């Protein structure tokens, strides 16, 4: 069963500035990485990256789906619903959701309201479920 997860909404662009993305979506990013800066691996970033990130959240008594971080991300992105398609053509927007399971099968359930919120944004979600062995190093998508 999924025990926790983290979620990121990212927009990558070679021409559109992070400020323009913020204006179109009506949401403030939690992080911006500018084209031309170095990545952690030492490479030079080829695109601007605008992100809203929610750190790892564990299951709660009220929600045992492991989707708490994804749900929180979607709440933060509510003002952007229906606006993603207004981004310039050079922008690529998507949701990244990582979930940590205590089961080798790693299955999960996306409730209908979460699926609807993703559809309302008009973006694809890339999801990965990991077996949480308690000693892994977790990092956000960049």
């Amino acid at each position: 069963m999924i025990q926790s997860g983290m979620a990121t909404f990212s927009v990558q662009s070679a021409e559109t500035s992070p400020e323009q993305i913020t204006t179109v979506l009506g949401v403030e990013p939690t992080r911006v990485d500018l084209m031309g800066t170095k990545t952690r691996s030492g490479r030079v970033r080829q695109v601007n990256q605008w992100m809203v990130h929610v750190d790892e959240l564990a299951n709660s008594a009220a929600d045992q789906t492991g989707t708490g971080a994804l749900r929180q991300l979607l709440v933060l992105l509510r003002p952007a619903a229906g606006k993603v398609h207004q981004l310039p053509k050079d922008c690529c927007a998507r949701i990244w959701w990582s979930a940590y399971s205590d089961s080798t099968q790693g299955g999960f359930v996306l409730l209908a309201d979460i699926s609807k919120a993703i559809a309302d944004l008009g973006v694809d979600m890339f999801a990965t479920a990991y077996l949480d062995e308690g000693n892994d190093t977790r990092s956000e998508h960049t």
Side-chain angles (χ1 to χ4, degrees), residues 99-116:
Y100 303 96
S101 177
D102 63 354
S103 167
T104 57
Q105 292 186 358
F108 58 88
V109 174
L110 287 182
L111 300 175
D113 66 317
I114 291 176
S115 297
K116 181 179 182 326

Side-chain angles (χ1 to χ4, degrees), residues 55-118:
D55 287 330
E56 183 177 355
L57 290 177
N59 285 348
S60 68
D63 182 7
Q64 293 291 306
T65 65
T67 58
L70 179 58
R71 184 177 298 281
Q72 184 175 336
L73 178 71
L74 293 166
V75 168
L76 294 171
L77 294 172
R78 225 177 256 152
K83 297 179 184 176
V84 173
H85 75 279
Q86 296 173 7
L87 289 169
K89 297 283 185 219
D90 71 301
C91 292
C92 177
R94 55 183 52 148
I95 292 173
W96 300 91
W97 176 54
S98 299
Y100 303 96
S101 177
D102 63 354
S103 167
T104 57
Q105 292 186 358
F108 58 88
V109 174
L110 287 182
L111 300 175
D113 66 317
I114 291 176
S115 297
K116 181 179 182 326
I118 294 167

Side-chain angles (χ1 to χ4, degrees), residues 5 16-17 34 40-41 43 57 85 89 95 115 134 138 140:
T16 304
S17 73
L34 297 176
R40 286 182 274 191
S41 66
R43 295 184 184 149
L57 290 177
H85 75 279
K89 297 283 185 219
I95 292 173
S115 297
R138 300 176 185 167
E140 61 190 79

Side-chain angles (χ1 to χ4, degrees), residues 8-9 27-32 50-54 76 140:
T8 303
F9 173 76
V27 174
E28 289 294 324
T30 57
R31 180 174 164 180
V32 170
W50 181 103
M51 293 175 280
V52 175
H53 177 74
V54 175
L76 294 171
E140 61 190 79

